[in-house]
Amino acid sequence: MAVKDFREDLTARWKVAHELCYLIACNQAFDDCKDGDIYDLGIRDIDWRPEDELTSFLVDAVWQLISLSTWIVSLTEKLLKECVMSSNLDLYDSEKENDGDVSMSSSSQLLDAPVLLHICHPYFLDNFVTALSHVQRFCVYVKSLTPRGRTAQIARDITVDLINNSGIDVSALLATLEQTRQEAKVVDEHCVTQPSVLTKATLFIKPHDLVDGLGNLSTVPKDADKDIISKNLLIGVVATMKCSQCGGKTTLADDLSSDGSIPLPWRAWEKKWAVRCICGGRWKKATTML
């Protein structure tokens, strides 16, 4: 393996390791914010409060949960894209074998993609299914609310579009993964790429990709950094802390006072990362303007 390929492989591996750790953190966040079948969003009275009373305090928690849900859905899309590519190469390799070509499988390298560890290892599969279940329940719960204020309506629309625009039938995907998990089998990439689970066109092609020049109108840089804890974009914000191990940046670890502006379940979750990053590395000061 060339030095460049070896370095890219190692980079992909540590990124997946970080994703595995963050999935566990996401599940903890959803659990901390869950009261039975209801999520403590700070907007429990959203269906009757007039717009002028729906302050930023009331929607703090829902925006943070939306950030986590968006990250989990993006991870699911990346994982399923890898599965689609693997299943397509398997069909190509089968055709070659039928023609008498017994050379090395074209999909062997792709099937070794580190991202597939999310569904290949039983423990990590459990965490992935739990996180995806949280996202599904959260989206259903927010969709069931009746917002009166503009801010709450935006939050509800974003949550609904999050699933609708992904090209994934989350219920069907969860059912497939649950069945595989109960039968103690290794997840086959073919079973999660069926038409009943996902729409390939929507998975690979997003609406903004179909409009020329629309991507250039975005005010968000493609390479914009994200807060390693909250997954919020760091644009024009001073990242106060940086992980000494993975290099992740955050603004959360600097101010963890309980002044009432952040719902208590979220503040408690944030305090878990006051000393160490998601990856276990210690924080150090970072004063770079992003």
Side-chain angles (χ1 to χ4, degrees):
M1 180 182 293
V3 175
K4 182 179 179 181
D5 294 336
F6 182 68
R7 181 176 299 176
E8 290 177 351
D9 181 62
L10 291 180
T11 300
R13 287 171 185 256
W14 81 254
K15 286 184 176 180
V16 169
H18 204 288
E19 291 169 355
L20 295 170
C21 294
Y22 195 76
L23 272 179
I24 298 175
C26 285
N27 290 333
Q28 293 174 351
F30 277 104
D31 287 335
D32 290 346
C33 217
K34 197 166 181 287
D35 182 12
D37 293 330
I38 297 176
Y39 288 96
D40 184 5
L41 308 179
I43 54 172
R44 190 164 297 178
D45 297 328
I46 193 173
D47 55 342
W48 61 266
R49 283 185 179 270
E51 181 174 347
D52 56 349
E53 292 184 25
L54 191 57
T55 62
S56 60
F57 165 73
L58 294 172
V59 294
D60 271 337
V62 73
W63 289 122
Q64 296 183 39
L65 279 174
I66 286 175
S67 293
L68 298 190
S69 299
T70 301
W71 180 83
I72 293 172
V73 171
S74 297
L75 174 63
T76 305
E77 290 179 336
K78 181 175 73 171
L79 176 61
L80 291 183
K81 286 178 182 178
E82 199 74 44
C83 290
V84 169
M85 296 171 66
S86 299
S87 61
N88 288 343
L89 282 180
D90 281 345
L91 294 175
Y92 173 73
D93 289 334
S94 298
E95 293 177 355
K96 288 175 60 179
E97 291 178 1
N98 292 335
D99 293 337
D101 189 347
V102 294
S103 58
M104 183 179 294
S105 170
S106 302
S107 61
S108 59
Q109 183 176 359
L110 190 58
L111 290 174
D112 290 335
V115 70
L116 296 179
L117 186 60
H118 286 290
I119 58 175
C120 290
H121 192 283
Y123 176 72
F124 300 136
L125 176 59
D126 286 345
N127 286 321
F128 178 71
V129 170
T130 301
L132 201 56
S133 298
H134 276 306
V135 172
Q136 182 190 39
R137 287 195 295 267
F138 169 68
C139 291
V140 170
Y141 174 62
V142 174
K143 186 178 179 179
S144 68
L145 300 176
T146 306
R148 296 288 180 84
R150 183 182 306 168
T151 304
Q153 182 64 53
I154 293 174
R156 183 180 183 276
D157 291 343
I158 291 176
T159 306
V160 172
D161 291 343
L162 180 63
I163 299 297
N164 293 343
N165 294 338
S166 66
I168 303 169
D169 187 329
V170 178
S171 298
L173 176 59
L174 285 173
T176 301
L177 295 177
E178 282 286 0
Q179 181 180 1
T180 303
R181 185 170 62 167
Q182 292 175 4
E183 295 175 355
K185 294 180 179 179
V186 176
V187 177
D188 182 3
E189 69 273 9
H190 295 284
C191 69
V192 296
T193 57
Q194 299 300 316
S196 60
V197 174
L198 59 85
T199 304
K200 294 181 181 180
T202 308
L203 178 66
F204 283 89
I205 304 175
K206 301 304 178 183
H208 58 78
D209 295 329
L210 302 177
V211 181
D212 291 338
L214 185 60
N216 297 329
L217 298 177
S218 175
T219 58
V220 180
K222 292 183 179 181
D223 57 348
D225 285 332
K226 287 187 176 182
D227 191 303
I228 198 66
I229 303 296
S230 68
K231 296 302 180 183
N232 291 325
L233 289 172
L234 294 173
I235 301 177
V237 178
V238 176
T240 54
M241 307 297 287
K242 182 177 181 179
C243 178
S244 59
Q245 182 166 281
C246 70
K249 302 173 184 177
T250 186
T251 61
L252 294 180
D254 188 52
D255 181 17
L256 293 174
S257 59
S258 300
D259 57 0
S261 62
I262 301 293
L264 290 179
W266 270 107
R267 185 58 83 192
W269 181 76
E270 290 173 354
K271 285 184 176 181
K272 294 179 181 179
W273 318 114
V275 178
R276 295 183 181 274
C277 174
I278 297 289
C279 69
R282 287 188 173 274
W283 298 115
K284 62 181 181 180
K285 289 291 183 179
T287 57
T288 305
M289 178 68 75
L290 300 174

